[in-house]
Amino acid sequence: MSAVTASDAEGISFKKVASLIWRAWPFYRPLLKHIITYLLINVVSGVLMLGGGLVANDLFNNKVMIGIPLQPMQATLLFLDDSYVIVEEESSSMPEEAEATLLTNLQRETIRNRLFVWAAIVVVIAAAMFSLVWYYMVWIFQMINQNLRVAMLERAENLSLRFHDQARTGDAIYRVYQDSATITNVLQQLVITPLRVVAWLGWGVLLVTFFSPWLGLLCVLTAIPIVVLFKYFSPRIRRTAVRARESNSDLTSRIQEVFSAIRVIKANRAESMVINQFNQDSRTALDAAFDLRMNIILLSVGIMLTATAVVFGAEYLMANWTITESATYLGGVVTLVGFATWNLGAYQSAAGTMVQNAAQSADLARLWGGAQDLIVGLERAYYLLDQEPEVTEITDPIAFPAPIASVSWQDVAFRYGDVPVLQSVNLVARRGTVTAIVGATGSGKSTLMSLLLRLYDPDGGDIYINDTAVSDLALDSLRGNVAIALQQNVLFTTTIAKNIAYASKNPTRKQIEAAAAVSCADDFIREMPQGYDTELGERGGKLSTGQRQRLSIARAILRDTPILILDEPTASLDAETEHRVLQNIAEWGRDRVVFLITHRLSTIRNADQIAFLQDGVIEELGSHDELIADEGGCYRRFVDAELHGSAIHE
Amino acid sequence: MSDIEKNQFDDRLDVDTQISSGEALILLWRSLKLLKYTKGLFAGKFAFALLSIFPPLLLPWVGKVIVDQVLLQKSFGTTEVRFPPFMNPFLDYVSGMAPIEIMGTILMMYGVLLLIFGLRAGGTGVALTQGHDAATQSELALSAGGSQSGGFVGIIETMISIRLTQTIANRLRTVLFSKLAHLPMTTLDDTRIGDSVFRVMYDTPQVPQICFNLSLTPFFAILGALISLYLMQYSYGSVAPELVWIAGALIPAALVVTVPLSSVARQLNQSSRASGAATTNTMEESMENIAAVQSLGGMAQEKENFEEKSAESFKRHRYAFLFTQGVVAIGMLCTTVAGIYVATLVTDLIIAGDLTPGDFSVLFGLFLSLGGTAIAIGMSWINLQSNVAAVRRVFFFIDYPTEDPGVNAIDAPDTICQSIKLEDVGFQYPDGRTALSDINLELSIGELVAVVGPTGAGKTTLAYLLPAFLRPTTGKVFFNESDTADLPLSTIRDQVSYVFQEHVLLSESIRRNLLLANPGASEEDMREVCKTAGALSFIDSLPDGLDTVLGRSGDTLSVGQQQRLCIARGLIRDTPVIVLDEPTAALDPETENALVTALQKAAIGKLVIVIAHRLSTIKRADRIVFLENGSIAEIGSHESMMQQEDSPYRKFVMLQSGASAA
């Protein structure tokens, strides 16, 4: 699933980009102070470097190399006396005479030494700042990225299962890693650097205009072919960026799915098949990455060629002016430099600035290419944030009612996709009772419980706790008061103790052990080498199914909730263990509402009420003795089948 | 239970992460060898990179001409400095021209070189958004490529470059993926899926850099440096010999600074990556099990867990980055110090009149490029160390013992299994637990065998021996008369299908799930096995039938339906032996009866082995193997064993049925 399809990539308006930037604001806001500090440091040092560069250029090329005397301010900067300064007799309309006195060798050396001392100081400071400021920048952007990552993961955790059903795990990983990383560049690539480049470019054009308006015009005219190139390449770059991200996401998913299902793949000798699929997905991803880069390169090389060709033209003009010693346009204005007429220093400055301008255009080109990819990635990241959880809380949710009196389903209906699962379910369970839910596989028993947990909302009817609809309760409150031992026995790759304590509020070790005792897990846990601190394997490996089942039950019990759901809790336990576990649970569940989904007759028989689910409704409801009396009833048939099966002798 | 220590980042297998310099060198060598798969591309890249060196060599000298002859209008030969020989054709051409004409010629030359080599337009490269973490930077590294030139040559060299990088990295990641897919069953518990994803996607892309930093980069750096030194010597050797020496000393000096820092660089990088993998683990586990997480109410907990791990991985990455920046800063400082010294020398000479201002451009240009080269070489050594840390993680699993494929398939006889025999078989897990001992068993085609026993008796372990997921630590397993240790793994697995207790289905269509097991299955075959497994009715009731895509959180089908589908998948391979681990645990009695009847029919001509708890499943088997504490307590048919008073099986059954008697 993608937020941006190939055709979407065609149209991208300024407004869209602006909205993307705006959406990044909440993630930047916590770090605003730091960002401003960082920007200030950058701007100040940038201005200093630019200005300093000009001065150094003049000093070095004109004063040291050739020996032209200093401007007054320059002498002050270098702590030198007036003997170094140019003698200003006439105005700059008589440049020939101003050149007459050159500096002595000794003076040139002195200027050079002082200039170098300045340079050394600057470099030392710059080097130290360089490392520290970069570290600061990295820290800032990592924090921003972290904000987005956590927000995305939190949203993903709370999205409905219907969403997750259709999404691949690898895609979530890709979005949280790769796509979210684009946010770190929003400020840099969409705001700061464009502003900086445009500012420098503007300043650069202004500067060369000071030297000659023709240069300025040249710069402006260059913009035309550049814009054309931008317009041509931008949609292509975006299209390929979308493809590149999607195919890499698919590849991540492929890897994740293969390793998830690795046992099955081994058993079916399908390793070669999955390796081939991997190869294909890998190639697709690489090709997409290649295409993206080629487009960007063609754009930037095109722009660089254009801009540099213009520089060459400008250099020709400037050389001409230097040779003929024409006056610069406004070069004498700035007293810090001696560029009233074209000279070596003026040429180097102006040429340097033109080259800079070309480099800035090239930067802009590269930036633009990267920005297209950034926009695409950012949209993919926001996509996750844009998903609304299906199950939402009302504005003023009610707290969970206590003490609990009953749980009831009233006319509950539910469809999964197009398939109707529940038609009209009516069921009431009171505190202190055990309700067994029975029915054929696929009849909707687990779904009934999922609705209680509000993993889904029913399509019709409602579920009530006491007299409050579950949809009026705060979600955290609801799920905090219903514990479930899942049919699939999901355990996590951490210690046994932490598994049992999952989602419980800071239980003590004693409490954990007590819960394990109820589920008859304590014995086998103590036999393990590290006991409760034994690490489980991936997906809870290293335990047999029966052991996992008991841990699952312990986990549910530890939560100490008024409602307990056990979904096939003893399917993999032998009779003896099963008996003990259920006895313990019955004892423990005295003041609670307990739901038991199972096929085991031994378990069902002792329930306070049995609900037989079939064709989406509760066909039969009552105690074992009541239901079994109905000779043609579903429950009776069910029991007969089980007994027949479990009869010792045929 | 295992004593394996976890290192601080979740790894259980890859715990020994520090390597010596010697081992690092070996890894570097192994990475370098990958180049042999890309000879053509490499040669192309080399050729173009070589070509790219030459045009920029002109620049300082032509720049000198611009400054001296054009702008300052001096004539040629006013100082002692000699132009290098390659400048002679140009000099001959422009001798006698007026300054402005010289400029025109220069610019025409520039124009041509601009188009072809992008002279003075900078190099070619791609700057895509990259985050400040190992994962995003690696993805970009996977397709890294560029050129020192611009223009036409730049474009071509970049294309070659990118493909070269991709091919090397892809080669390695395919090998890694393949090895990971072949890991033995016993290690699967200790490998983390997120970690595997991380290694394949984000550790492998660091390899191409190693190849380049050991071949192209140093070669061209040193070549460039030598050329620059030669030029300096040629033109300025007589005027300022000490300059040449200083310039020459830069590169060795850079290495002296960076080499001692190698192991620090490695360690920092390893931590950064391992913490990144730990974050991936958390995310993967959370997302994959999202239904459980939501049911259990663990969303807030998962978020906190992720937040912590993510912050840690960012922090580690920062440290590694700071280290690198620090080294660069030191390099820049050293170069600057040397640079100032050199500039002083040169300007002295200019002021004295031995050199012209134009010479300064040349010399300083040369010196800067040498300085840049020195820093680049020093940094590339550091980067090598960082990359080695990543590559070590890759080779760790490539070197890890995979499942023993057994004898080469070509040499083995064609075996269709008629019987399976276990002779004095025992199994001990790597961490010391004894799961099975003294197993003696003979099973033949045509039987339906049930393996029964209390939880933890070793039933699954015994079943795993049959398709050789585990190999016996003592004793032998025979297919017909052949020891399975002498058979190729492929042959064994072709004969045995296994249906696991945990129902793992791919989140694709039902059809594709079945095709995974048997790519050649026809529509009829599929419907047939689904019918046997009791799955056909519900499949037909789904709107898309066999093409229904199964969702990830498993809600498209109920657990019982999934179970039946897995059984169908086991049947579709039509192997002589089929093992089913708890196939009826989640089924209601009616469905279960139907399934067992179907299995009995399916057992005709096959050996069907079923692990079960439920009496209803067990008692219809031809034979029952009763396991207790890892050994066989009894074997026989249900009736025969029930008739014996002191039969352990009978005791077990009485418990079962006593509990369920009406």
Side-chain angles (χ1 to χ4, degrees):
Chain A
M1 304 200 117
S2 146
V4 183
T5 59
S7 57
D8 283 348
E10 292 295 335
I12 204 141
S13 63
F14 186 70
K15 196 159 133 223
K16 197 165 180 196
V17 174
S19 87
L20 284 176
I21 298 175
W22 181 243
R23 287 194 66 176
W25 169 241
F27 304 103
Y28 277 82
R29 183 161 23 131
L31 292 140
L32 193 58
K33 258 188 359 221
H34 297 284
I35 295 177
I36 291 181
T37 316
Y38 171 72
L39 285 180
L40 274 177
I41 296 178
N42 258 2
V43 165
V44 167
S45 53
V47 165
L48 285 177
M49 293 239 302
L50 201 55
L54 269 181
V55 176
N57 212 341
D58 178 41
L59 279 176
F60 192 72
N61 281 313
N62 288 337
K63 279 47 178 192
V64 175
M65 299 282 219
I66 302 176
I68 299 175
L70 301 174
Q71 303 290 320
M73 286 248 307
Q74 289 174 334
T76 329
L77 214 64
L78 294 175
F79 302 105
L80 295 168
D81 58 53
D82 282 342
S83 65
Y84 287 83
V85 178
I86 195 167
V87 177
E88 282 277 4
E89 297 153 1
E90 316 281 292
S91 69
S92 50
S93 59
M94 303 260 281
E96 308 87 45
E97 287 190 23
E99 232 200 308
T101 29
L102 290 179
L103 297 167
T104 66
N105 283 2
L106 188 58
Q107 285 177 316
R108 286 159 76 184
E109 272 178 35
T110 320
I111 295 177
R112 188 241 0 244
N113 291 342
R114 304 212 174 185
L115 181 62
F116 281 178
V117 168
W118 268 117
I121 296 175
V122 166
V123 168
V124 168
I125 297 177
M129 280 204 24
F130 169 69
S131 308
L132 292 176
V133 170
W134 266 49
Y135 182 82
Y136 190 43
M137 173 197 81
V138 167
W139 178 82
I140 292 175
F141 286 123
Q142 281 184 341
M143 289 303 107
I144 295 173
N145 196 357
Q146 169 82 339
N147 289 343
L148 180 58
R149 272 191 188 179
V150 171
M152 282 170 76
L153 187 90
E154 188 172 21
R155 174 51 55 106
E157 293 283 347
N158 287 294
L159 286 175
S160 72
L161 294 181
R162 266 193 253 257
F163 169 85
H164 286 288
D165 246 12
Q166 292 153 24
R168 300 172 81 178
T169 301
D171 187 56
I173 295 179
Y174 193 82
R175 282 182 208 254
V176 170
Y177 266 170
Q178 309 288 51
D179 293 325
S180 79
T182 55
I183 200 170
T184 62
N185 291 283
V186 165
L187 189 62
Q188 198 88 349
Q189 269 190 273
L190 292 182
V191 179
I192 294 180
T193 313
L195 286 179
R196 174 174 64 83
V197 164
V198 167
W200 276 47
L201 208 49
W203 169 243
V205 171
L206 200 63
L207 197 59
V208 297
T209 314
F210 268 24
F211 285 99
S212 162
W214 287 114
L215 293 179
L217 186 63
L218 211 54
C219 290
V220 169
L221 284 177
T222 323
I224 298 174
I226 290 181
V227 167
V228 167
L229 280 171
F230 275 148
K231 278 194 113 58
Y232 177 71
F233 275 103
S234 301
R236 294 168 71 107
I237 295 176
R238 275 197 305 278
R239 262 204 310 275
T240 47
V242 168
R243 257 185 31 224
R245 283 179 185 273
E246 281 181 353
S247 53
N248 269 299
S249 163
D250 286 342
L251 186 60
T252 313
S253 294
R254 168 79 59 198
I255 301 174
Q256 188 272 334
E257 284 162 10
V258 164
F259 291 132
S260 263
I262 190 68
R263 283 185 175 78
V264 165
I265 289 169
K266 270 189 189 312
N268 288 298
R269 281 205 61 223
E271 290 106 331
S272 322
M273 184 172 105
V274 297
I275 291 173
N276 279 340
Q277 282 175 337
F278 172 81
N279 261 327
Q280 265 172 13
D281 284 351
S282 187
R283 286 209 180 283
T284 310
L286 290 176
D287 286 342
F290 181 80
D291 289 339
L292 171 62
R293 284 156 174 80
M294 282 322 292
N295 273 309
I296 293 180
I297 283 174
L298 288 174
L299 172 66
S300 56
V301 168
I303 290 181
M304 276 151 66
L305 288 185
T306 313
T308 312
V310 166
V311 169
F312 292 169
E315 280 180 346
Y316 185 78
L317 290 176
M318 292 190 289
N320 203 10
W321 293 328
T322 310
I323 292 171
T324 59
E325 289 177 14
S326 345
T328 60
Y329 184 54
L330 287 172
V333 165
V334 187
T335 53
L336 212 51
V337 296
F339 294 153
T341 49
W342 281 98
N343 51 36
L344 181 62
Y347 177 90
Q348 297 285 45
S349 254
T353 311
M354 288 295 289
V355 166
Q356 272 276 17
N357 289 349
Q360 294 292 337
S361 320
D363 263 356
L364 198 60
R366 269 191 288 270
L367 188 78
W368 190 266
Q372 306 307 305
D373 177 53
L374 188 158
I375 289 171
V376 163
L378 204 54
E379 279 188 315
R380 279 178 52 96
Y382 289 151
Y383 172 77
L384 203 54
L385 292 178
D386 286 338
Q387 297 305 309
E388 287 297 329
E390 204 177 272
V391 171
T392 47
E393 281 181 2
I394 58 174
T395 343
D396 272 314
I398 308 175
F400 195 84
I404 191 171
S406 68
V407 180
S408 49
W409 282 254
Q410 291 182 15
D411 282 328
V412 169
F414 184 74
R415 313 171 65 84
Y416 193 81
D418 293 324
V419 180
V421 180
L422 300 173
Q423 309 272 35
S424 174
V425 172
N426 286 288
L427 178 63
V428 180
R430 303 203 186 283
R431 185 176 83 191
T433 62
V434 175
T435 306
I437 317 260
V438 184
T441 79
S443 54
K445 307 187 288 295
S446 298
T447 311
L448 209 57
M449 296 301 130
S450 298
L451 292 173
L452 175 57
L453 280 168
R454 274 201 91 194
L455 294 176
Y456 301 95
D457 276 332
D459 291 312
D462 230 330
I463 303 164
Y464 294 86
I465 307 223
N466 297 358
D467 288 317
T468 322
V470 296
S471 45
D472 290 335
L473 299 171
L475 263 179
D476 283 339
S477 184
L478 173 63
R479 294 193 194 154
N481 280 292
V482 180
I484 183 167
L486 296 159
Q487 199 173 7
Q488 296 100 321
N489 297 317
V490 174
L491 292 172
F492 300 98
T493 321
T494 174
T495 62
I496 290 183
K498 290 215 183 97
N499 261 294
I500 297 179
Y502 190 82
S504 286
K505 299 197 189 337
N506 295 320
T508 63
R509 180 52 77 95
K510 274 198 133 27
Q511 287 171 316
I512 295 175
E513 292 176 6
V518 171
S519 72
C520 301
D522 189 61
D523 293 333
F524 83 76
I525 295 178
R526 287 191 192 280
E527 274 170 27
M528 308 212 114
Q530 277 103 19
Y532 280 86
D533 295 315
T534 313
E535 297 270 345
L536 295 181
E538 179 74 68
R539 306 290 197 255
K542 302 197 184 189
L543 295 180
S544 73
T545 315
Q547 291 168 331
R548 298 225 294 279
Q549 224 156 26
R550 282 174 277 169
L551 283 190
S552 222
I553 296 172
R555 180 168 61 193
I557 289 176
L558 182 58
R559 299 212 27 228
D560 201 23
T561 49
I563 302 177
L564 176 65
I565 305 172
L566 299 169
D567 199 341
E568 296 283 359
T570 52
S572 293
L573 299 181
D574 58 71
E576 191 187 334
T577 320
E578 182 197 11
H579 185 62
R580 283 189 295 138
V581 171
L582 289 172
Q583 258 193 333
N584 289 347
I585 290 181
E587 182 65 35
W588 177 88
R590 253 187 223 207
D591 269 329
R592 310 173 203 258
V593 181
V594 179
F595 293 100
L596 212 44
I597 301 177
T598 181
H599 298 299
R600 295 280 192 95
L601 193 50
S602 46
T603 317
I604 302 169
R605 268 185 349 124
N606 298 313
D608 294 296
Q609 69 175 346
I610 298 168
F612 196 95
L613 191 55
Q614 186 170 283
D615 293 329
V617 294
I618 307 258
E619 279 288 335
E620 294 174 14
L621 186 63
S623 73
H624 172 80
D625 293 322
E626 286 166 16
L627 296 182
I628 207 143
D630 181 1
E631 295 247 343
C634 320
Y635 184 68
R636 175 67 188 253
R637 248 199 356 251
F638 170 87
V639 170
D640 283 343
E642 169 78 9
L643 283 182
H644 173 73
S646 58
I648 299 177
H649 303 287
E650 287 291 304
Chain B
M1 208 26 76
S2 149
D3 294 285
I4 294 176
E5 295 288 318
K6 247 179 16 169
N7 71 9
Q8 66 181 131
F9 295 120
D10 250 17
D11 289 310
R12 290 178 198 173
L13 296 173
D14 188 8
V15 288
D16 214 353
T17 57
Q18 300 234 18
I19 48 172
S20 66
S21 302
E23 288 165 332
L25 285 174
I26 295 179
L27 286 174
L28 289 173
W29 172 242
R30 290 177 74 178
S31 307
L32 192 58
K33 286 204 291 194
L34 287 169
L35 279 176
K36 73 173 183 249
Y37 296 108
T38 51
K39 292 198 200 121
L41 285 171
F42 187 78
K45 165 81 181 173
F46 184 80
F48 277 103
L50 196 58
L51 204 54
S52 303
I53 294 185
F54 297 107
L57 290 176
L58 288 173
L59 278 178
W61 298 104
V62 176
K64 171 177 158 72
V65 170
I66 292 181
V67 171
D68 290 340
Q69 274 67 46
V70 174
L71 297 176
L72 295 176
Q73 297 164 71
K74 298 190 185 167
S75 47
F76 289 102
T78 39
T79 67
E80 265 185 48
V81 172
R82 299 179 295 166
F83 282 94
F86 60 76
M87 286 293 289
N88 289 338
F90 172 75
L91 293 170
D92 291 337
Y93 186 75
V94 300
S95 74
M97 280 189 177
I100 196 65
E101 286 175 353
I102 299 179
M103 191 65 179
T105 316
I106 289 179
L107 287 176
M108 296 248 288
M109 189 175 71
Y110 271 1
V112 169
L113 290 176
L114 173 69
L115 262 176
I116 303 179
F117 290 97
L119 192 70
R120 294 188 69 198
T124 317
V126 179
L128 286 173
T129 46
Q130 125 175 332
H132 298 284
D133 59 279
T136 48
Q137 292 178 352
S138 287
E139 182 173 317
L140 290 183
L142 183 59
S143 303
S147 166
Q148 296 287 67
S149 310
F152 208 55
V153 164
I155 293 179
I156 298 195
E157 189 184 338
T158 306
M159 281 171 67
I160 296 179
S161 227
I162 295 179
R163 282 302 189 193
L164 183 59
T165 311
Q166 288 185 341
T167 310
I168 297 174
N170 193 41
R171 178 104 214 156
L172 195 64
R173 85 174 172 188
T174 313
V175 169
L176 176 62
F177 181 80
S178 173
K179 292 284 176 146
L180 286 171
H182 281 104
L183 284 176
M185 280 302 223
T186 43
T187 49
L188 288 182
D189 282 335
D190 286 320
T191 50
R192 299 294 309 271
I193 296 176
D195 181 67
S196 302
V197 167
F198 194 91
R199 285 181 206 235
V200 172
M201 291 292 286
Y202 306 128
D203 284 328
T204 51
Q206 305 298 90
V207 161
Q209 271 310 301
I210 294 185
C211 298
F212 299 150
N213 281 344
L214 286 177
S215 56
L216 296 171
T217 313
F219 175 80
F220 284 109
I222 293 181
L223 180 63
L226 285 175
I227 293 180
S228 299
L229 279 173
Y230 171 73
L231 293 177
M232 265 180 116
Q233 172 61 31
Y234 185 83
S235 300
Y236 298 97
S238 46
V239 181
E242 49 301 350
L243 289 179
V244 183
W245 285 113
I246 296 175
L250 285 174
I251 292 179
L255 284 176
V256 163
V257 170
T258 56
V259 166
L261 298 170
S262 306
S263 97
V264 176
R266 283 199 298 269
Q267 193 48 42
L268 287 173
N269 210 268
Q270 154 67 19
S271 293
S272 162
R273 293 180 167 278
S275 56
T279 315
T280 318
N281 286 339
T282 311
M283 193 164 31
E284 192 272 335
E285 195 174 54
S286 192
M287 289 289 103
E288 184 69 8
N289 294 306
I290 188 68
V293 169
Q294 287 189 354
S295 304
L296 297 168
M299 295 89 69
Q301 182 173 331
E302 291 292 326
K303 175 204 151 199
E304 269 169 40
N305 198 9
F306 174 77
E307 194 166 2
E308 211 180 281
K309 295 261 160 74
S310 181
E312 177 76 16
S313 73
F314 273 135
K315 187 176 82 174
R316 297 280 165 180
H317 183 82
R318 263 203 312 277
Y319 289 170
F321 176 78
L322 182 62
F323 175 77
T324 313
Q325 289 307 109
V327 174
V328 169
I330 293 177
M332 273 168 56
L333 270 177
C334 295
T335 312
T336 310
V337 166
I340 287 185
Y341 182 65
V342 164
T344 312
L345 278 178
V346 172
T347 46
D348 276 342
L349 291 168
I350 291 178
I351 291 174
D354 293 330
L355 294 176
T356 67
D359 288 320
F360 182 81
S361 312
V362 174
L363 271 174
F364 212 65
L366 282 175
F367 184 80
L368 274 182
S369 90
L370 278 169
T373 304
I375 295 186
I377 288 195
M379 284 319 295
S380 73
W381 181 258
I382 295 286
N383 287 333
L384 269 178
Q385 300 308 312
S386 306
N387 294 335
V388 159
V391 159
R392 182 206 64 80
R393 292 165 53 86
V394 171
F395 280 115
F396 176 81
F397 277 108
I398 290 184
D399 294 338
Y400 205 86
T402 53
E403 284 190 305
D404 179 10
V407 160
N408 209 320
I410 309 175
D411 303 329
D414 221 6
T415 318
I416 304 289
C417 191
Q418 296 292 325
S419 69
I420 298 186
K421 190 164 78 172
L422 280 78
E423 204 177 78
D424 290 327
V425 163
F427 185 81
Q428 202 178 44
Y429 276 102
D431 54 30
R433 297 175 286 156
T434 305
L436 296 172
S437 49
D438 273 330
I439 304 283
N440 283 287
L441 196 54
E442 256 195 74
L443 310 162
S444 338
I445 297 287
E447 283 193 283
L448 171 60
V449 177
V451 178
V452 181
T455 77
K459 306 186 287 296
T460 303
T461 313
L462 177 59
Y464 270 16
L465 288 172
L466 301 176
F469 289 148
L470 302 172
R471 299 279 192 177
T473 38
T474 51
K476 296 183 204 279
V477 177
F478 291 91
F479 271 29
N480 300 349
E481 300 307 313
S482 317
D483 186 349
T484 54
D486 298 330
L487 290 177
L489 203 57
S490 49
T491 308
I492 300 175
R493 303 242 172 106
D494 275 340
Q495 308 290 313
V496 182
S497 286
Y498 198 99
V499 178
F500 292 93
Q501 220 168 7
E502 301 85 35
H503 323 122
V504 177
L505 291 165
L506 303 178
S507 48
E508 305 189 28
S509 66
I510 296 180
R511 183 189 301 275
R512 290 210 44 87
N513 269 284
L514 293 172
L515 287 176
L516 173 80
N518 185 354
S522 69
E523 182 91 7
E524 275 164 43
D525 293 333
M526 289 194 248
R527 293 184 68 81
E528 181 70 39
V529 298
C530 287
K531 186 146 148 245
T532 310
L536 195 58
S537 52
F538 78 75
I539 291 179
D540 280 339
S541 74
L542 293 167
D544 294 322
L546 276 174
D547 290 306
T548 311
V549 173
L550 302 176
R552 251 195 330 107
S553 45
D555 283 347
T556 325
L557 300 179
S558 75
V559 172
Q561 289 168 337
Q562 288 174 28
Q563 197 166 33
R564 283 177 279 170
L565 194 52
C566 287
I567 296 172
R569 185 172 59 191
L571 291 172
I572 202 165
R573 287 178 76 212
D574 206 22
T575 48
V577 181
I578 161 163
V579 183
L580 302 121
D581 199 343
E582 298 274 10
T584 56
L587 301 181
D588 60 270
E590 278 186 64
T591 319
E592 186 203 355
N593 287 337
L595 178 64
V596 178
T597 313
L599 283 178
Q600 272 182 317
K601 274 210 300 260
I604 300 172
K606 293 194 203 297
L607 168 57
V608 178
I609 301 161
V610 177
I611 301 179
H613 280 300
R614 292 167 77 170
L615 197 49
S616 32
T617 315
I618 303 167
K619 64 182 187 187
R620 291 199 262 170
D622 295 317
R623 268 198 302 161
I624 297 168
V625 176
F626 185 68
L627 275 183
E628 235 174 3
N629 291 324
S631 337
I632 299 183
E634 213 179 342
I635 305 183
S637 76
H638 175 78
E639 274 73 31
S640 64
M641 289 197 287
M642 287 308 291
Q643 271 156 23
Q644 292 166 10
E645 284 278 336
D646 52 355
S647 147
Y649 174 72
R650 188 190 144 101
K651 239 175 49 194
F652 178 78
V653 167
M654 297 308 282
L655 267 176
Q656 294 280 94
S657 61
S660 68

